[in-house]
Amino acid sequence: MTIADQEPIKMDARASSYMAVTGVAIAVLLALPLFLTSFNILLLNMVGIFAMATLGLVLLTGSGGVTSFAQAAFMGLGAYTSAYVTLRLGLSPWLGLAAALALVFVVTMAIGYVTLHLGGHYLPITTLAWAVAIHMLFGTLDGLGAHSGIGGLPPISIAGVAMDRPERAFYMIWVTLILFLFAASNLLRSRQGRAIAALRGGSLLAEALGISAFRTRMMLFVLAGELACVGGWLFAHTQNFISPSSFDLTNGLNILLMSVLGGVGSVLGALVGAGAVMVGRNLIQDVLPMLALDAGSLEIVVFGAIFIVLVQYSPKGLSPLLSRWLPPRPAPALPDIKHDEVLRFGRAKEHNDDAVILSVDGLEKRFGGLVAVKDLSFDVHRGTIHALIGPNGAGKSTTFDMISGLQSPTSGTVQFNGTVVTHTPARNMIARGMARTFQHVRIRPQMTLLDNVMQGAHWRLTSGFWAGILRLDRAEEAAYRKTALLALKAVGLADQALVEAGTLSLGQQRQLEIARALAADPEILLLDEPAAGLRTGEKAELAALLSRLREAGMTILLVEHDMDFVMGLVDRIVVLDFGQHLAEGLPDEIRQNSKVQEAYLGGLD
């Protein structure tokens, strides 16, 4: 079935259902103060405040893969900064918010610069240390009550109306939270959101797609801190009292618990987790005394037991359970493409000669005393398919990594389009015209095929953080959704554009990687074992695709073990053995080369 034969996807019903449920939920929420007691309203206010800090952690951990224990500390920075501005300088709480946001921005940038370079368990441990240090700092502020805390903070005023009662504060807190939730959802569905999602595939994937992993994590770290800061500001001016104990490590752990309990993979998880922890703890405190049990000593035990049971039955948190009963947010409709419309490669068509596009000269890579690649040299001509073959461990993937910028060679040079790119970072190579796939498939399984391919076009889009949040990127997104759909059509996956990538077979996932690379409009494709896992028919389709790409002016360098696939497709072959150049030539020349037969094909009888 072709794209032209498909019926357009009907989004109206789903969109109407989503908007109706969302509207009813918001209406019910805003009506709650009319029916609840002041205590319950206060409890909901605390849920909303902590949901803001939890939302920052959901974005940071669930989307960016960074675990932080410092959210409560950033809440404290927001609260104490505003307390100083209002109580010591006599200024408005709104100026206190501006000062708090500015200070938290500087602090998170400084901490992030030091911390986010770390990996593994060192990163969360470092944020834990920062959280303790900031909490201890609050206790040394004698002018703001030190360990005893300080009260008398003025309420926030909006249009001359003081938010000095729980009912008024409720609307301010929850309208703010709802705006944050929609903004976060918009962000995750934008260019920046796809960059964030790429981090979950590892820094190598992000860098290969032209995404700075460090800058993206820094953006998330600062955003999480600012969300916590706003929560701390609201806490200070609605509770009218703050002390260091409100922002200690225990509350930092509680925020982390909220994110896990609600589900770090969902924006809704921030609200669900904060509500479950705050309301659940209050219920436990009410129920245990009724059973003649000591609430103080057993509260954490009961809560911990409930949490363990929940994790066993729903390891992704509560939000996926609730999502089953809620209509999903509708995705934009697929763009219309004509039956004969194909993906165009602008940069590959700019050059129609057969000049050298890629030159490797004396390339060498050492890992301590191990030489992975030694004195390797070869040229790739424009508009050809070039194969790099050799036994396992011959250094083929290492060579790919050095060419694409994921590893720096110990010595030697790499030239691309006449420019030396030996030590150019991988994130800059895709904009120069080089895109690649991986030996071990790197896709985002929970994203649709279309969004996975859109990641490949990341460098071509220009919309930034605010454009994504405010949905100012719609025209650009629509244009490149069409590009992504045409890339899927090129590899035969367009009819599954809105399917989650994790449901594909291994062979289809490799085809998806190729489509993602094509969306970058490259001049040269680096394909690492593209035929691995493909059935005979799929290999024939892949060979036909690569031949069409060659005819369109694309240059291809591939690593492959299937000799039948290679010999019938490529123009030239380079053979590696133990990291060294063994032979080079046309397929027939390589097939008849005795050294290749001995080293790679098992020798002659």
Side-chain angles (χ1 to χ4, degrees):
M1 182 175 63
T2 65
I3 294 295
D5 297 328
Q6 297 178 37
E7 294 183 1
I9 295 178
K10 304 295 184 183
M11 303 301 297
D12 292 343
R14 284 199 293 174
S16 299
S17 177
Y18 172 81
M19 294 301 297
V21 171
T22 302
V24 169
I26 293 175
V28 170
L29 176 67
L30 297 181
L32 287 178
L34 302 177
F35 307 101
L36 298 180
T37 64
S38 293
F39 174 80
N40 287 329
I41 294 173
L42 281 171
L43 180 61
L44 287 178
N45 287 349
M46 295 302 294
V47 170
I49 287 171
F50 275 90
M52 295 179 196
T54 306
L55 176 60
L57 198 56
V58 164
L59 294 173
L60 184 63
T61 303
S63 300
V66 177
T67 302
S68 172
F69 294 93
Q71 286 297 90
F74 295 142
M75 285 184 69
L77 282 177
Y80 271 91
T81 301
S82 190
Y84 178 81
V85 169
T86 54
L87 296 179
R88 295 294 171 258
L89 301 182
L91 300 176
S92 163
W94 291 105
L95 292 176
L97 174 62
L101 290 172
L103 178 62
V104 170
F105 177 83
V106 173
V107 170
T108 51
M109 286 287 289
I111 293 177
Y113 183 80
V114 174
T115 302
L116 296 178
H117 288 291
L118 302 175
H121 60 278
Y122 294 106
L123 179 55
I125 289 176
T126 304
T127 63
L128 182 66
W130 283 111
V132 173
I134 293 174
H135 168 250
M136 293 180 66
L137 173 66
F138 298 149
T140 66
L141 302 176
D142 293 330
L144 292 174
H147 290 287
S148 300
I150 187 170
L153 278 78
I156 300 164
S157 293
I158 300 177
V161 179
M163 302 294 109
D164 54 357
R165 297 206 303 266
E167 296 80 4
R168 292 177 178 177
F170 174 90
Y171 290 109
M172 175 180 63
I173 291 169
W174 281 90
V175 168
T176 302
L177 175 61
I178 290 169
L179 291 175
F180 282 167
L181 291 172
F182 276 107
S185 180
N186 288 342
L187 176 65
L188 293 179
R189 294 160 64 91
S190 70
R191 171 179 181 260
Q192 294 298 326
R194 290 187 296 271
I196 293 168
L199 295 179
R200 299 294 291 177
S203 296
L204 290 182
L205 172 61
E207 295 287 329
L209 294 175
I211 300 165
S212 171
F214 176 76
R215 290 183 62 183
T216 305
R217 287 196 177 101
M218 177 69 84
M219 176 193 72
L220 283 174
F221 193 69
V222 172
L223 177 60
E226 297 287 37
L227 287 170
C229 172
V230 175
W233 175 74
L234 289 169
F235 179 92
H237 292 284
T238 56
Q239 300 298 305
N240 306 119
F241 176 86
I242 56 173
S243 69
S245 62
S246 300
F247 313 107
D248 59 8
L249 183 58
T250 299
N251 276 308
L253 293 171
N254 282 338
I255 295 172
L256 184 61
L257 173 63
M258 292 173 189
S259 66
V260 174
L261 194 61
V264 293
S266 168
V267 169
L268 183 63
L271 175 57
V272 174
V277 172
M278 301 296 294
V279 176
R281 178 170 294 157
N282 184 71
L283 290 175
I284 291 172
Q285 290 172 347
D286 289 341
V287 170
L288 289 180
M290 296 179 183
L291 302 176
L293 298 173
D294 184 0
S297 61
L298 290 179
E299 173 190 341
I300 189 64
V301 176
V302 174
F303 205 85
I306 295 173
F307 178 73
I308 291 172
V309 171
L310 176 65
V311 169
Q312 289 292 324
Y313 286 95
S314 182
K316 293 184 179 180
L318 287 171
S319 57
L321 298 178
L322 295 178
S323 297
R324 298 174 186 175
W325 303 96
L326 299 175
R329 181 173 180 175
L334 287 176
D336 294 326
I337 59 177
K338 299 177 182 178
H339 177 76
D340 58 349
E341 194 170 1
V342 296
L343 185 65
R344 304 293 180 184
F345 304 107
R347 293 194 293 183
K349 278 293 186 181
E350 290 175 0
H351 309 277
N352 54 13
D353 53 49
D354 62 349
V356 173
I357 185 174
L358 178 68
S359 179
V360 174
D361 183 23
L363 210 59
E364 185 168 309
K365 182 64 178 180
R366 294 177 177 270
F367 298 96
L370 174 65
V371 180
V373 177
K374 183 177 181 181
D375 194 25
L376 176 62
S377 300
F378 64 88
D379 294 333
V380 177
H381 288 261
R382 192 180 302 278
T384 64
I385 301 180
H386 213 100
L388 197 61
I389 68 173
N392 288 330
K396 304 182 296 297
S397 292
T398 301
T399 300
F400 255 39
D401 287 347
M402 289 189 288
I403 292 173
S404 61
L406 290 177
Q407 293 189 41
S408 291
T410 306
S411 60
T413 59
V414 177
Q415 288 190 48
F416 179 53
N417 272 333
T419 302
V420 176
V421 294
T422 310
H423 299 289
T424 301
R427 62 180 176 274
N428 296 335
M429 294 301 294
I430 195 168
R432 289 178 177 268
M434 183 183 293
R436 66 164 295 172
T437 65
F438 292 87
Q439 179 181 7
H440 303 290
V441 174
R442 293 178 183 269
I443 59 171
R444 300 308 308 129
Q446 294 181 338
M447 292 173 59
T448 66
L449 273 63
L450 194 67
D451 282 335
N452 269 276
V453 176
M454 286 281 284
Q455 286 182 326
H458 175 86
W459 80 271
R460 303 174 68 183
L461 282 74
T462 59
S463 58
F465 176 82
W466 289 109
I469 283 180
L470 300 176
R471 299 297 306 277
L472 302 177
D473 58 351
R474 295 184 184 185
E476 184 180 63
E477 286 283 307
Y480 281 98
R481 283 174 69 83
K482 183 172 183 178
T483 298
L485 189 58
L486 288 171
L488 285 170
K489 180 183 178 183
V491 301
L493 294 175
D495 59 336
Q496 302 183 67
L498 298 182
V499 172
E500 287 190 358
T503 64
L504 299 181
S505 66
L506 176 59
Q508 290 174 316
Q509 290 180 358
R510 292 195 179 279
Q511 292 172 303
L512 176 60
E513 275 203 318
I514 295 175
R516 185 180 63 197
L518 293 177
D521 188 24
E523 290 187 62
I524 184 171
L525 276 176
L526 273 58
L527 306 180
D528 201 345
E529 300 189 24
L534 270 62
R535 296 185 291 268
T536 302
E538 292 173 330
K539 289 180 181 179
E541 293 175 0
L542 175 61
L545 168 64
L546 298 185
S547 296
R548 291 196 301 271
L549 293 175
R550 174 173 52 191
E551 293 171 3
M554 186 71 66
T555 307
I556 300 171
L557 175 63
L558 61 88
V559 167
E560 187 52 65
H561 286 292
D562 188 326
M563 288 301 97
D564 290 336
F565 178 82
V566 170
M567 293 297 178
L569 173 68
V570 307
D571 299 297
R572 197 165 182 83
I573 299 174
V574 173
V575 185
L576 293 182
D577 188 32
F578 293 106
Q580 299 187 59
H581 186 288
L582 180 65
E584 182 175 357
L586 302 175
D588 286 341
E589 295 173 345
I590 296 300
R591 184 183 287 113
Q592 297 171 17
N593 190 300
S594 59
K595 291 183 179 179
V596 176
Q597 293 172 343
E598 182 67 29
Y600 188 73
L601 302 178
L604 297 172
D605 293 331

